[in-house]
C-alpha cells in the first residue's frame, strides 16, 4: 500500500506527534538485510482495549476526523510486517505513552524498499506537537557506516521556524549531508 | 561530500531569520500545505513535498513561502492534495499534484498569480471539516 518502509514509519511517527507527547524518540537501525525502527512517545497512551481496536482498519476514535470510519496507520504496518516475514510490537499504557517497534527482512521479495530515510526524518521534524523530537539513525552495510543523532530543539535553534521554505531547504541539505546519501533511494 | 555540522548550518541560516520572523507575524506569507495522511503518502505526497522544496529553491522563493504538512483532507481519490494560500487570492486545494503539477503551481500560481483550473478540488470533504 505504501511506497516504502520509510512511509510506514512516517505514519507511525505522526501518531506519536499527535499523541500529546512532549518528547518523541525515534530510532532507525538499518543494515543490508534488515530495517528496524522504534518510535516512542510519552503521550496519552492507550488502554489494552483501545490498543486492540487500533489494530482494526475499520476503527478510529473519530476525534481527528468526525464521520471517518477508517484508521489505517497501524493496520498497514502490521499487514506489511506479517506479509514480509517481519515483526512488530506495540506497547502502550494509558496516560504514559506508546512505543511502536517494527522489523523488516530486506531479503524478503515482498518487502518494500527502505526509501528515503533523510526525507522521512525531515518530514518528522515538520509534525507539529512535541517540543522535542530526538531521532537516532544507524546504518552498517555496503554503503559504509552511518551513525548520528538529531534533535528538534537544536535544529530550531539553528534554523528558526522549520516550516519556512528557506529553513526547509537547508534542513534537507543538512540531513542528507549527515546521512551521507546525496542521492535518494526511492 | 564532507558532513555538515550544526554550526555550519546555523551560519548558512543566520542573517535571514529576523527578516522572516517579521513577515510571519504580519500573516502575509504564502503557504503551501501538503496533505501527508496515509492516503497522501501512499499516492506519493512525499515526492510532491520534495518537489516543492526543490522548485521553491530553484525559483528563489524560499524566503516568501511556508511549507506545511497536514493530514487527510478527505479527498483521497485526488491525492496528493495541496492547499495553496496566497495573500489576495482565493485559497485553493489542488488534487493529483505530481512533480509536473508542482512546477506549474510554483510558476503559474505563486509567481504568475493565476489559478490552475484543471487541478482545483474546491474544499475539503464535508466529513473532514469539524463542525
Amino acid at each position: 500500500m505504501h511506497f516504502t518502509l520509510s512511509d510506514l514509519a512516517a505514519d507511525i511517527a505522526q501518531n506519536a506527534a499527535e499523541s500529546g507527547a512532549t518528547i518523541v524518540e525515534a530510532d532507525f537501525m538499518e543494515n543490508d538485510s534488515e530495517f528496524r525502527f522504534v518510535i516512542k512517545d510519552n503521550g496519552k497512551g492507550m488502554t489494552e482495549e483501545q490498543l486492540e481496536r487500533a489494530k482494526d482498519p475499520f476503527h478510529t476514535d473519530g476525534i481527528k476526523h468526525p464521520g471517518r470510519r477508517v484508521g489505517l496507520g497501524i493496520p498497514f504496518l502490521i499487514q506489511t510486517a506479517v506479509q514480509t516475514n517481519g515483526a512488530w510490537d506495540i506497547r502502550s499504557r494509558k496516560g504514559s505513552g506508546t512505543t511502536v517497534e517494527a522489523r523488516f527482512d530486506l531479503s524478503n521479495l515482498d518487502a518494500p524498499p527502505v526509501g528515503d530515510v533523510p526525507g522521512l526524518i525531515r518530514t518528522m521534524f515538520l509534525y507539529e506537537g512535541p517540543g522535542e523530537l530526538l531521532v537516532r539513525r544507524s546504518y552498517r552495510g555496503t554503503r559504509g557506516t552511518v551513525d548520528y543523532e538529531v534533535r528538534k530543539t537544536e535544529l530550531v535553534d539553528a534554523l528558526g521556524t522549520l516550516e519556512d521554505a528557506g529553513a526547509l531547504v537547508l534542513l534537507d541539505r543538512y540531513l542528507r549531508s549527515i546521512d551521507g546519501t546525496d542521492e535518494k533511494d526511492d | 561530500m564532507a558532513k555538515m555540522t550544526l554550526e555550519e548550518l546555523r551560519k548558512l541560516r543566520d542573517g535571514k531569520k529576523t527578516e522572516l520572523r517579521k513577515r510571519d507575524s504580519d500573516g502575509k506569507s504564502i503557504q503551501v500545505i501538503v496533505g501527508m495522511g496515509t492516503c497522501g503518502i501512499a499516492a506519493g505526497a512525499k515526492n510532491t513535498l520534495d518537489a516543492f522544496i526543490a522548485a521553491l529553491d530553484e525559483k528563489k522563493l524560499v524566503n516568501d513561502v511556508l511549507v506545511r504538512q497536514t493530514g487527510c483532507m478527505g479527498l483521497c481519490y485526488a491525492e496528493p492534495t495541496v492547499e495553496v494560500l496566497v495573500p489576495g487570492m482565493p485559497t485553493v486545494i489542488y488534487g493529483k499534484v505530481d512533480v509536473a503539477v508542482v512546477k506549474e503551481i510554483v510558476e503559474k500560481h505563486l509567481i504568475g498569480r493565476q489559478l490552475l483550473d484543471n487541478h482545483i478540488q474546491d474544499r475539503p470533504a464535508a466529513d473532514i471539516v469539524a463542525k
Side-chain angles (χ1 to χ4, degrees):
Chain A
M1 189 63 206
H2 285 55
F3 280 0
T4 65
L5 297 176
S6 295
D7 296 337
L8 283 173
D11 213 316
I12 301 302
Q14 189 171 21
N15 295 345
E18 291 172 355
S19 70
T22 52
I23 175 161
V24 173
E25 285 177 64
D27 282 88
F28 299 103
M29 292 147 285
E30 184 187 351
N31 58 41
D32 290 331
S33 58
E34 189 179 271
F35 179 74
R36 207 149 62 81
F37 69 78
V38 183
I39 295 173
K40 183 180 169 194
D41 70 65
N42 65 352
K44 60 187 169 196
M46 292 175 280
T47 61
E48 259 176 60
E49 191 206 357
Q50 282 174 318
L51 174 55
E52 213 42 55
R53 284 161 68 191
K55 297 173 193 168
D56 176 357
F58 299 105
H59 170 76
T60 177
D61 61 15
I63 293 169
K64 192 169 154 196
H65 298 311
R68 183 66 68 83
R69 291 193 189 83
V70 290
L72 300 175
I74 289 171
F76 276 154
L77 177 77
I78 295 174
Q79 184 190 35
T80 310
V82 167
Q83 284 177 342
T84 63
N85 190 33
W88 61 274
D89 186 35
I90 305 171
R91 295 180 297 277
S92 191
R93 268 183 57 195
K94 188 78 187 164
S96 61
T98 302
T99 302
V100 180
E101 210 173 327
R103 181 176 59 74
F104 295 93
D105 175 3
L106 300 179
S107 66
N108 189 293
L109 273 182
D110 293 320
V114 171
D116 176 17
V117 177
L120 157 69
I121 296 173
R122 188 200 66 212
T123 295
M124 289 172 61
F125 281 117
L126 279 194
Y127 292 142
E128 289 170 31
E132 181 65 302
L133 167 63
L134 170 63
V135 180
R136 281 179 291 258
R137 150 96 158 137
S138 71
Y139 169 82
R140 306 233 175 328
T142 45
R143 284 186 288 119
T145 301
V146 176
D147 249 314
Y148 61 86
E149 193 178 295
V150 264
R151 282 169 189 275
K152 187 178 180 178
T153 43
E154 283 178 355
L155 291 170
V156 172
D157 184 49
L159 290 170
T161 311
L162 299 179
E163 286 173 340
D164 194 278
L168 210 45
V169 168
L170 289 175
L171 175 64
D172 192 63
R173 209 174 296 159
Y174 174 68
L175 292 172
R176 291 191 194 287
S177 150
I178 58 174
D179 206 81
T181 44
D182 294 338
E183 294 294 313
K184 278 182 271 175
D185 291 346
D186 60 353
Chain B
M1 189 173 77
K3 289 187 180 174
M4 205 189 282
T5 65
L6 213 53
E7 249 348 278
E8 285 165 343
L9 185 65
R10 192 189 308 271
K11 280 196 191 117
L12 283 170
R13 183 63 178 153
D14 274 352
K16 290 178 186 165
K17 254 196 307 199
T18 42
E19 179 196 340
L20 281 160
R21 287 223 173 102
K22 218 183 295 164
R23 192 166 10 221
D24 286 354
S25 59
D26 290 345
K28 280 187 180 163
S29 47
I30 298 171
Q31 286 187 44
V32 169
I33 306 169
V34 183
M36 297 280 279
T38 305
C39 50
I41 292 171
K46 172 89 195 353
N47 294 347
T48 302
L49 188 65
D50 288 353
F52 263 112
I53 294 174
L56 293 171
D57 196 18
E58 189 194 315
K59 299 286 178 192
K60 312 256 181 286
L61 283 174
V62 289
N63 293 334
D64 306 308
V65 182
L66 286 178
V67 180
R68 297 209 152 107
Q69 298 176 159
T70 187
C72 171
M73 300 189 223
L75 303 166
C76 307
Y77 54 90
E79 293 290 344
T81 52
V82 175
E83 189 172 359
V84 181
L85 290 84
V86 177
M89 287 180 73
T91 297
V92 176
I93 295 175
Y94 289 118
K96 299 198 195 298
V97 182
D98 59 15
V99 174
V101 180
V102 168
K103 284 197 179 130
E104 251 191 290
I105 290 176
V106 172
E107 280 165 21
K108 290 198 184 142
H109 192 145
L110 303 189
I111 299 173
R113 297 291 199 261
Q114 281 192 332
L115 304 182
L116 278 63
D117 298 340
N118 294 340
H119 290 276
I120 292 177
Q121 293 289 335
D122 194 22
R123 59 176 72 94
D127 68 332
I128 292 302
V129 182
K131 289 191 182 89

